[in-house]
């Protein structure tokens, strides 16, 4: 089964949802996410939008139709929702969708999109690895409350990578797995205590870790090439090519995973970090970025060797 | 030239034409082998364009029948900054033929390499699985 956005019915309560208060992307942090700041945060992974990914506006609707028919949206390469309630982890929840979609797209096994509250049978047969949001968030904001912006989490992830979640669709033999969230989590995301951050490592490391060499595992889940999305055209072209894009708007950071054409309008579906799919009717927000490539393992079944 | 020689040459030409028609844009003719294809890698450089939809679909269908079909974008490395072991054979084969291409393997053996374009059809891409 593949994700066909044209077949998803949209309830108007799912469109342009704004949270009552920020859940991790407050305005004072969002203001700092300029193009220069985010590109600097990408470090060596920073790339310009590849010109050859341009799709003429007149061809985009047909490309979207093809993506629906063939299952090529980024959302087709995601197999779980996460739930951050009641934390301020949203930027890392959005990041993990962009990273996991990229990695799973590289593997090219159709996962079909997430189903709330369910473990998909395909996950255990694929190369899907679920990433821990707080393994990045703890370093980005050691105070825990207040959130983190895009440049903070991207700098960390692009520099040293991300740890795997304690819950995985199959046993990969990870030695340094970490709880996925300090929030609600769910069947596909572990919830655990705040690890904190002190100096250059976690203040409280999980008891099952053999030592503090967790960076040896995190490096296997690292963005290699990232792009700051400069305008609505680049936004649409990247989505049409099957890349997920993280955007921040009105206090919340979300990962857009495709384009749904409805008559004369476009809706942008995203896997919200509250176990649900929602839609935005606007084409583009600032602070948008995508991951073009992730590290690839020597063996998909043994991703850390 | 004797009549028999002409007949042999004619049959050879017909055979070669058949191979060309069936395998389309192949540059490297397939290795005649009974080995079963167990891996197909699409080797490409995204700065030259994304993965064409028909090739992406073909790879997903190959995965569904048990072939390990993956993308290998030219600059991708593993966590240690090296070409991933699983892609080394395909990476070398692609350098000989040019990107983008589909590299079919049976274990470490390259069975065929299909040079692709944006116009490569689903059926042509699926030849990599045979």
């Amino acid at each position: 089964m593949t994700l066909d956005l044209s077949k998803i019915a949209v309830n108007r309560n799912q469109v342009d949802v704004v949270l009552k208060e920020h859940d991790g992307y407050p305005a004072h942090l969002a203001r700092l996410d300029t193009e220069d700041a985010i590109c600097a945060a990408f470090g060596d992974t920073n790339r310009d939008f590849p010109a050859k990914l341009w799709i003429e506006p007149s061809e985009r609707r047909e490309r979207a139709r093809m993506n629906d028919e063939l299952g090529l949206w980024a959302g087709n390469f995601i197999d779980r929702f996460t739930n951050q309630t009641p934390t301020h982890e949203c930027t890392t929840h959005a990041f993990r969708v962009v990273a996991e979609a990229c990695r799973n797209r590289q593997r090219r096994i159709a996962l079909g999109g997430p189903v709330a509250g369910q473990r998909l049978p395909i996950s255990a047969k694929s190369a899907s690895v679920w990433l821990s949001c707080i393994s990045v968030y703890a370093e980005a904001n050691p105070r825990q409350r207040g959130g983190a912006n895009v440049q903070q989490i991207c700098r960390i992830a692009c520099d040293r990578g991300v740890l795997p979640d304690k819950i995985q669709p199959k046993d990969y033999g990870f030695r340094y797995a970490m709880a996925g969230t300090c929030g609600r989590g769910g069947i596909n995301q572990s919830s655990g205590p705040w690890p904190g951050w002190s100096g250059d490592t976690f203040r409280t490391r999980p008891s099952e870790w053999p030592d503090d060499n967790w960076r040896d595992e995190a490096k296997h889940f690292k963005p290699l090439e990232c792009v700051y999305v400069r305008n609505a055209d680049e936004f649409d072209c990247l989505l049409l090519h099957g890349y997920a894009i993280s955007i921040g708007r009105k206090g919340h950071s979300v990962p857009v995973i495709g384009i749904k054409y409805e008559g004369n309008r476009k809706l942008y579906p995203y896997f919200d970090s509250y176990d649900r799919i929602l839609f935005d009717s606007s084409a583009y927000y600032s602070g948008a970025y995508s991951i073009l490539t992730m590290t690839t393992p020597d063996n998909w079944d043994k991703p850390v060797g | 030239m004797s009549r028999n020689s002409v007949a042999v040459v004619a049959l050879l030409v017909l055979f070669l034409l058949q191979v060309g028609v069936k395998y389309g844009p192949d540059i490297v003719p397939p290795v005649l082998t009974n080995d079963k294809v167990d891996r197909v890698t699409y080797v490409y450089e995204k700065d030259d364009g994304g993965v064409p939809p028909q090739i992406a679909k073909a790879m997903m269908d190959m995965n569904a029948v048990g072939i390990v079909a993956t993308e290998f974008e030219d600059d991708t490395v593993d966590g240690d900054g090296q070409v991933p072991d699983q892609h080394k054979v395909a990476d070398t084969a692609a350098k000989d033929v040019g990107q983008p291409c589909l590299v079919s393997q049976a274990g470490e053996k390259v069975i065929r390499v299909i040079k692709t374009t944006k116009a490569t059809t689903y059926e042509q891409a699926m030849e990599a699985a045979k």
Side-chain angles (χ1 to χ4, degrees), chain A residues 14-18 247 249 254 256 260 266-270 278-283 285:
Chain A
Q14 293 174 283
V15 181
D16 294 337
V17 172
V18 177
I247 61 169
R249 86 289 188 273
V254 300
V256 181
K260 179 176 170 62
K266 288 182 290 187
L267 293 176
Y268 293 88
Y270 59 91
L278 296 177
F279 301 82
D280 262 2
S281 62
S282 297
Y285 294 91

Side-chain angles (χ1 to χ4, degrees), chain A residues 80 82-90 92-93 131-139 141-145 165-166 178-186 189-197 202-204 273-274:
Chain A
R80 66 162 183 157
T82 59
N83 196 312
Q84 68 173 93
T85 310
T87 71
H88 286 165
E89 301 165 3
C90 67
T92 50
H93 285 249
L131 303 176
S132 164
C133 300
I134 59 171
S135 72
V136 173
Y137 183 69
E139 182 177 350
N141 183 0
R143 298 183 321 278
Q144 190 174 7
R145 299 297 291 177
D165 194 309
K166 282 188 173 183
M178 175 170 272
T181 178
C182 293
R184 183 178 299 169
Q189 183 186 38
S190 63
S191 175
W194 177 242
W197 188 264
F202 300 102
R203 192 174 61 239
T204 307
S273 47
Y274 296 99

Side-chain angles (χ1 to χ4, degrees), chain A residues 33-36 38-39 42 46-50 53-54 98 150 226-239 243-248 256 268 283-292:
Chain A
D33 276 340
T34 62
E35 177 177 350
D36 285 346
I38 292 176
C39 290
F42 288 154
N46 184 47
R47 298 289 183 273
D48 290 332
F49 173 81
L53 294 188
W54 176 264
V98 179
V150 166
C226 302
V227 63
Y228 177 84
V229 186
R230 295 173 298 190
N231 53 55
D233 283 313
E234 291 182 358
F235 192 78
D236 277 7
C237 289
L238 285 166
L239 291 172
Y243 297 98
I245 300 177
S246 171
I247 61 169
V256 181
Y268 293 88
Y284 169 73
Y285 294 91
S286 59
Y289 72 92
S290 184
I291 301 173
L292 303 178

Side-chain angles (χ1 to χ4, degrees), chain B residues 1 4 6 21 32 46 91 97 117:
Chain B
M1 192 183 270
N4 281 344
V6 169
V21 166
L32 295 178
K46 69 172 178 324
D91 187 40
V97 168
T117 68

Side-chain angles (χ1 to χ4, degrees), chain B residues 102-116:
Chain B
L102 285 161
V103 180
S104 305
Q105 292 172 236
E108 299 290 294
K109 185 195 299 183
V110 175
I111 301 298
R112 71 184 331 142
V113 182
I114 299 177
K115 188 80 172 68
T116 62

Side-chain angles (χ1 to χ4, degrees), chain A residues 154-207:
Chain A
C154 284
R155 176 174 290 112
I156 293 164
C158 293
D159 176 50
R160 49 82 155 169
V162 187
L163 287 173
D165 194 309
K166 282 188 173 183
I167 288 180
Q168 294 294 331
K170 61 186 179 188
D171 183 8
Y172 288 112
F174 294 137
R175 303 174 76 210
Y176 301 95
M178 175 170 272
T181 178
C182 293
R184 183 178 299 169
I187 187 173
N188 299 323
Q189 183 186 38
S190 63
S191 175
W194 177 242
W197 188 264
S198 177
D200 66 349
T201 191
F202 300 102
R203 192 174 61 239
T204 307
R205 70 173 194 238
S207 57

